[in-house]
Amino acid sequence: MRDVAAQAGVSAMTVSRVLKGDPRVSSGSRALVLAAVEELGYRLNETARSLRVGGSGLIGLVVTNIANPFYSRLTLGVQEVAGEHGLRVLLANTGEDTDRERELVDDLLARQVDGIVLVPAGTGQGPLALVAARGMPLVLASRPPSDIDTDCVLVDDFGGAREATARLIAAGHRRIGFLGNPPALYTGAERFRGYWAAHEEAGLEPDERLVRRGLRDPATAQKAAEELLDQPDAPTALFCTNNRLTQGAVRAVRSSARTTALAGFDNFDLADVLGIPLTIAAYDPDEVGRRAARMLIDRIRPSSDRPIPARRTVVPTNVIEYGPRHDS
Amino acid sequence: MRDVAAQAGVSAMTVSRVLKGDPRVSSGSRALVLAAVEELGYRLNETARSLRVGGSGLIGLVVTNIANPFYSRLTLGVQEVAGEHGLRVLLANTGEDTDRERELVDDLLARQVDGIVLVPAGTGQGPLALVAARGMPLVLASRPPSDIDTDCVLVDDFGGAREATARLIAAGHRRIGFLGNPPALYTGAERFRGYWAAHEEAGLEPDERLVRRGLRDPATAQKAAEELLDQPDAPTALFCTNNRLTQGAVRAVRSSARTTALAGFDNFDLADVLGIPLTIAAYDPDEVGRRAARMLIDRIRPSSDRPIPARRTVVPTNVIEYGPRHDS
DNA sequence: CTGTTAGCGCCTTCAA
DNA sequence: TTGAAGGCGCTAACAG
């Protein structure tokens, strides 16, 4: 910047003012500075600016697995809103590892991010208390706060699971298997609750022997589904708590002789073209990211100076029915 | 840091030394400092450190669309390798917009990133010349450099397309349609070249009337496929240049009465379960990210001080055949 | 409208 | 082994 100032024959202060658009600069100086900037190919050093001004213009985004389409879409939503406010996204991936989450958050703090959007890994959130304690704006996504009091964006896990299950019941199914992710996870617990509630509301009681929880990937889901379908009194339908488990179940159904109906949480590509009866509780993952970013920015740049209480917002689901293939 | 120093009864300098693991500190001072750090919950300010030391410990990753599974997996690969070297990833999304790409890259420079991995948007790379000119390490992914001379990681677009097409020919197909993304894109051009080469090597000449290029999404691909299949002399197979186009083609084939064979670039979920003949040129997107990150780090932290010439590496493809459904 | 002074938090250099 | 001085690049605050 000194070089630019020298080249333009003004002081560094004037250069600074021109660059940040301060109107109190004569158009003459402005032109001189701009010319010098151009000629020297100068760019402002954001690091130094951050140090002086405070606030890095960065927000941290911590997800469990960026390769999962849900989180990559969430990332897109966060990016979109952050970009509108001139903020950049520093991305971190925990792989569901709590220790790593702590390290990453720690590093984000050291880098002076202006706020953090985080999908909590695992279940305990003790370490995050630190973040909140330091007054760092923090929004949780997908899973609610447990040990701490902070903003969060959730999906209507309960409602979506309940309605999808209810559709199966309405279609006449009475023996509906459940393929679920670990019950210790919030989404797992809520979606199971929805499955159960739909039964109760129809005056039915689910058969516990048709319930398999703690499934983590398509392969284990496929195996569990095959076992269920292989029983003498097999379920006529299966509800799966997420897209990966649904995909495992699709394989199992496909390789069996039965025409088992499927329902699941999360939409996925080609669901329309599988040619089996499929009921999906869908929602917009981008919207989770957008809302999280908006809540975060509300705290980073408060519109009023009253303290904002911790808020919670729930992204709705809508149930889609894909029919079997209609061969024409 | 001053507070910590005061609390520990030493100078700020000693605190700094302890924190960066300088051995020339007495164990007494060290213990004092660590206790004070713990008590005050102090963390080093990376921003200030960067300013003084130079180098931010950040690498920029610029992709065209993070919601595309290819790029989210690439991101995972970059993250993985960067993490091993203590580097964090600043993520930027261009949406295939060249102007936005320029802005984003500019911002990354202003933030003093140590290097950039970039998937070029569009075709012209003029603006990127600036980056290279400033001596910023830069690795391109998926698409090669055109106007500039820099490292890149490519996929074997030509080889994969050629082999997938050759498989169709080997299976007896003689009229093979082509559904392609815009030919101005490197991948589009290379994959078309592979399609053509497979024909020539078999002594065939593709029918230009079966070629549709410039397709951008599943919907346009579906429409193009339907038109092709609706002709009197319809193709018996279709080759698609990427997963989104393949998905459109799957829909078209499904809704037609024909049993058209499909081949395509990029693997995708549930390809195994569609129940139609499907030949896929697959590769590992994570590996593209890992290699790009490694090349970048080679430049950021050179092992020798000889200048490294611009390098190019190609990630291989392997062709997978998914059969039609075997109803048992 | 413009420049000077001072300092953001850290670390390199040099002296003790 | 430790500390003091100075400056990385930038910008508030205060002159002029």
Side-chain angles (χ1 to χ4, degrees):
Chain A
M1 182 151 124
R2 265 211 310 274
D3 301 343
V4 174
Q7 167 94 10
V10 298
S11 78
M13 204 49 237
T14 302
V15 176
S16 171
R17 287 201 255 257
V18 170
L19 262 35
K20 74 173 281 207
D22 189 318
R24 304 173 316 179
V25 183
S26 71
S27 53
S29 307
R30 186 182 308 278
L32 247 38
V33 168
L34 258 33
V37 164
E38 186 69 25
E39 191 171 328
L40 273 52
Y42 167 81
R43 335 244 112 209
L44 207 141
N45 181 332
E46 274 296 331
T47 303
R49 183 185 152 82
S50 295
L51 181 59
R52 181 65 243 230
V53 170
S56 55
L58 251 34
I59 67 177
L61 172 59
V62 185
V63 300
T64 50
N65 176 15
I66 185 63
N68 180 324
F70 172 79
Y71 297 115
S72 63
R73 298 213 68 113
L74 180 146
T75 301
L76 189 65
V78 170
Q79 286 262 354
E80 181 187 329
V81 173
E84 287 165 6
H85 293 262
L87 295 165
R88 300 280 177 245
V89 174
L90 200 46
L91 180 66
N93 204 72
T94 60
E96 287 284 3
D97 177 338
T98 316
D99 291 339
R100 183 141 181 74
E101 177 182 81
R102 214 188 46 65
E103 282 172 31
L104 291 169
V105 166
D106 215 65
D107 185 76
L108 292 175
L109 292 176
R111 290 182 191 282
Q112 315 293 114
V113 294
D114 295 341
I116 297 177
V117 172
L118 182 145
V119 179
T123 37
Q125 297 170 2
L128 295 179
L130 263 173
V131 185
R134 303 182 127 241
M136 168 71 61
L138 172 66
V139 177
L140 303 190
S142 292
R143 303 174 192 171
S146 56
D147 311 331
I148 55 181
D149 185 41
T150 193
D151 291 342
C152 71
V153 182
L154 301 176
V155 171
D156 185 11
D157 296 302
F158 172 77
R162 183 177 60 171
E163 188 179 343
T165 308
R167 296 280 184 103
L168 291 177
I169 293 172
H173 294 283
R174 289 298 174 269
R175 295 183 59 71
I176 303 172
F178 182 89
L179 301 178
N181 51 355
L185 291 178
Y186 174 77
T187 56
E190 283 296 290
R191 293 173 190 183
F192 182 66
R193 223 162 55 74
Y195 162 83
W196 200 272
H199 281 82
E200 284 188 340
E201 285 163 17
L204 302 171
E205 187 169 353
D207 183 344
E208 295 265 18
R209 287 166 306 174
L210 302 184
V211 173
R212 294 287 184 283
R213 306 176 79 176
L215 308 175
R216 300 199 159 273
D217 53 49
T220 53
Q222 179 176 357
K223 190 144 175 297
E226 283 166 354
E227 286 169 11
L228 288 178
L229 296 181
D230 208 31
Q231 297 176 32
D233 199 8
T236 62
L238 297 171
F239 175 79
C240 311
T241 59
N242 69 41
N243 55 358
R244 308 192 68 218
L245 303 185
T246 305
Q247 290 176 13
V250 168
R251 296 206 172 94
V253 168
R254 260 300 163 77
S255 66
S256 85
R258 307 175 185 279
T259 58
T260 311
L262 287 179
F265 220 98
D266 302 335
N267 209 351
F268 54 88
D269 282 344
L270 294 178
D272 57 317
V273 89
L274 289 175
I276 57 178
L278 192 52
T279 303
I280 294 290
Y283 62 99
D284 183 3
D286 302 51
E287 179 62 14
V288 178
R290 282 192 295 262
R291 290 197 193 185
R294 275 190 219 109
M295 285 174 105
L296 189 68
I297 289 167
D298 274 359
R299 289 197 184 275
I300 293 174
R301 312 207 214 283
S303 48
S304 90
D305 44 4
R306 291 169 311 181
I308 313 170
R311 293 161 306 173
R312 168 177 302 217
T313 171
V314 176
V315 173
T317 55
N318 73 303
V319 172
I320 304 171
E321 308 232 17
Y322 297 106
R325 180 172 20 153
H326 302 293
D327 289 316
S328 44
Chain B
M1 182 152 124
R2 268 212 309 274
D3 300 343
V4 175
Q7 168 93 11
V10 297
S11 78
M13 207 45 243
T14 302
V15 176
S16 172
R17 288 200 254 256
V18 169
L19 261 36
K20 73 172 280 205
D22 190 318
R24 303 172 317 177
V25 183
S26 72
S27 52
S29 308
R30 184 181 308 279
L32 247 38
V33 168
L34 287 158
V37 164
E38 185 70 24
E39 192 171 328
L40 273 51
Y42 168 80
R43 318 233 134 222
L44 209 140
N45 180 332
E46 274 295 332
T47 303
R49 184 186 151 84
S50 295
L51 180 58
R52 184 66 245 236
V53 170
S56 56
L58 248 36
I59 67 177
L61 173 59
V62 184
V63 300
T64 52
N65 176 15
I66 184 66
N68 180 322
F70 172 79
Y71 297 116
S72 64
R73 299 213 66 113
L74 179 145
T75 300
L76 189 65
V78 170
Q79 286 263 352
E80 180 187 329
V81 173
E84 287 166 5
H85 294 261
L87 296 166
R88 299 282 176 243
V89 174
L90 200 47
L91 181 66
N93 204 72
T94 60
E96 286 285 3
D97 176 339
T98 317
D99 290 339
R100 183 143 181 72
E101 177 183 79
R102 214 189 46 66
E103 281 171 32
L104 291 170
V105 165
D106 213 65
D107 185 76
L108 292 175
L109 292 176
R111 290 182 191 283
Q112 316 292 115
V113 295
D114 294 341
I116 296 178
V117 171
L118 182 145
V119 179
T123 37
Q125 295 169 5
L128 296 179
L130 264 172
V131 185
R134 305 182 125 239
M136 168 72 61
L138 171 67
V139 177
L140 302 190
S142 292
R143 304 173 191 172
S146 55
D147 311 331
I148 54 181
D149 185 41
T150 192
D151 291 345
C152 72
V153 181
L154 301 175
V155 171
D156 185 9
D157 296 301
F158 173 77
R162 183 176 60 171
E163 188 178 344
T165 307
R167 296 280 184 105
L168 291 177
I169 293 171
H173 295 282
R174 289 297 173 268
R175 294 182 59 72
I176 303 172
F178 182 88
L179 301 178
N181 51 354
L185 291 178
Y186 174 78
T187 55
E190 283 296 290
R191 292 173 191 182
F192 181 68
R193 226 164 51 76
Y195 162 83
W196 201 273
H199 281 82
E200 285 187 340
E201 285 163 17
L204 303 172
E205 186 169 352
D207 183 346
E208 294 265 15
R209 289 168 305 173
L210 302 183
V211 172
R212 293 288 183 283
R213 306 176 77 176
L215 307 175
R216 298 198 161 274
D217 52 47
T220 52
Q222 180 177 354
K223 189 147 176 296
E226 282 166 356
E227 286 169 12
L228 288 179
L229 296 181
D230 208 30
Q231 296 176 28
D233 199 9
T236 62
L238 297 171
F239 175 79
C240 311
T241 59
N242 69 42
N243 54 359
R244 308 192 68 217
L245 303 185
T246 305
Q247 291 176 12
V250 168
R251 296 206 172 94
V253 169
R254 260 300 163 77
S255 67
S256 85
R258 307 173 184 280
T259 56
T260 312
L262 288 178
F265 220 98
D266 302 334
N267 209 349
F268 54 88
D269 282 345
L270 294 177
D272 58 317
V273 90
L274 288 176
I276 57 179
L278 191 52
T279 302
I280 295 289
Y283 62 99
D284 183 2
D286 302 51
E287 179 63 12
V288 177
R290 283 191 295 262
R291 290 197 194 183
R294 273 191 219 108
M295 284 175 107
L296 190 68
I297 290 166
D298 274 358
R299 289 198 185 273
I300 294 174
R301 311 207 214 283
S303 48
S304 91
D305 43 5
R306 293 169 309 180
I308 314 171
R311 292 161 306 172
R312 169 175 301 215
T313 170
V314 176
V315 174
T317 56
N318 73 304
V319 172
I320 305 172
E321 309 231 19
Y322 297 106
R325 178 168 27 149
H326 303 293
D327 289 315
S328 44

